[in-house]
Amino acid sequence: ELKVEQNPLFLSMQEGKNYTIYCNYSTTSDRLYWYRQDPGKSLESLFVLLSNGAVKQEGRLMASLDTKARLSTLHITAAVHDLSATYFCAVTNTDKLIFGTGTRLQVFP
Amino acid sequence: DSGVTQTPKHLITATGQRVTLRCSPRSGDLSVYWYQQSLDQGLQFLIQYYNGEERAKGNILERFSAQQFPDLHSELNLSSLELGDSALYFCASSVRTYTGELFFGEGSRLTVL
């Protein structure tokens, strides 16, 4: 059974600082997604990573994928308050998309 | 706006009752997915349909059922409701099966009293 784990579960960080969220998954998969969710809101797609070594960047967020290590990272550069949200990674397994536990990020001044 | 429409947005009902949640996928999307999000269980995959046929099943209770109609909209039926069924139910759609990103609706918040 595919398991997807994220760490940390909670992250409180100061504006301007850098940090990385980790996503580990247990079985081979051919694509990995990162989503953002604001409280009580829908999920917004951030990145789709399709191959080993894939790296995508959008603003202060950069995602990478290492399929051999079954690891993806979401790096936050110079955090700002607007990045406060919950971030999920998700991995495909046959016809299922399995979500990680989520990382709740809070950025404070 | 993702283009995925879910109704109702909020629903309050009593234990033992039955409710139906509706989802209209983005124009052109053939796959519909249902997820349940609760505080203690996170985002749980329930079921997926592709062009009217069930493609994958997750942790969906026997009290729950779903279908996708010829016009591609989908309904999730929840019966004999229990307090623990209170959650946010999301529908998502994609063009095919996981060949690209999933687009999520705003969700239906179900409260069972």
Side-chain angles (χ1 to χ4, degrees), chain A residues 4-52:
Chain A
V4 184
E5 294 182 348
Q6 288 180 237
N7 69 83
L9 296 182
F10 298 98
L11 178 55
S12 183
M13 57 189 298
Q14 194 172 18
E15 281 188 332
K17 298 293 186 182
N18 304 331
Y19 209 84
T20 300
I21 298 171
Y22 297 88
C23 173
N24 291 273
Y25 53 100
S26 60
T27 63
T28 303
S29 176
D30 58 357
R31 56 180 52 88
L32 186 139
Y33 302 78
W34 283 97
Y35 283 88
R36 168 185 170 141
Q37 185 181 33
D38 292 306
K41 302 294 185 181
S42 184
L43 283 87
E44 174 191 355
S45 176
L46 295 175
F47 302 108
V48 181
L49 302 170
L50 300 177
S51 61
N52 187 43

Side-chain angles (χ1 to χ4, degrees), chain A residues 80-92:
Chain A
V80 294
H81 179 72
D82 284 351
L83 290 179
S84 298
T86 299
Y87 294 84
F88 292 93
C89 64
V91 180
T92 56

Side-chain angles (χ1 to χ4, degrees), chain A residues 1 30-31 33 35 37 40-46 48 50 88 92-101, chain B residues 2 33 35 37 42-43 45 48 55-58 88 90 97-107 109:
Chain A
E1 179 186 346
D30 58 357
R31 56 180 52 88
Y33 302 78
Y35 283 88
Q37 185 181 33
K41 302 294 185 181
S42 184
L43 283 87
E44 174 191 355
S45 176
L46 295 175
V48 181
L50 300 177
F88 292 93
T92 56
N93 180 331
T94 58
D95 287 329
K96 302 176 186 177
L97 183 63
I98 306 300
F99 280 81
T101 48
Chain B
S2 66
Y33 314 79
Y35 284 84
Q37 186 177 35
L43 265 164
F45 169 70
Q48 182 216 347
R55 283 296 296 266
K57 228 172 188 177
L88 194 53
F90 285 108
T97 304
Y98 295 129
T99 56
E101 58 188 303
L102 269 63
F103 295 89
F104 280 79
E106 295 293 315
R109 182 171 294 282

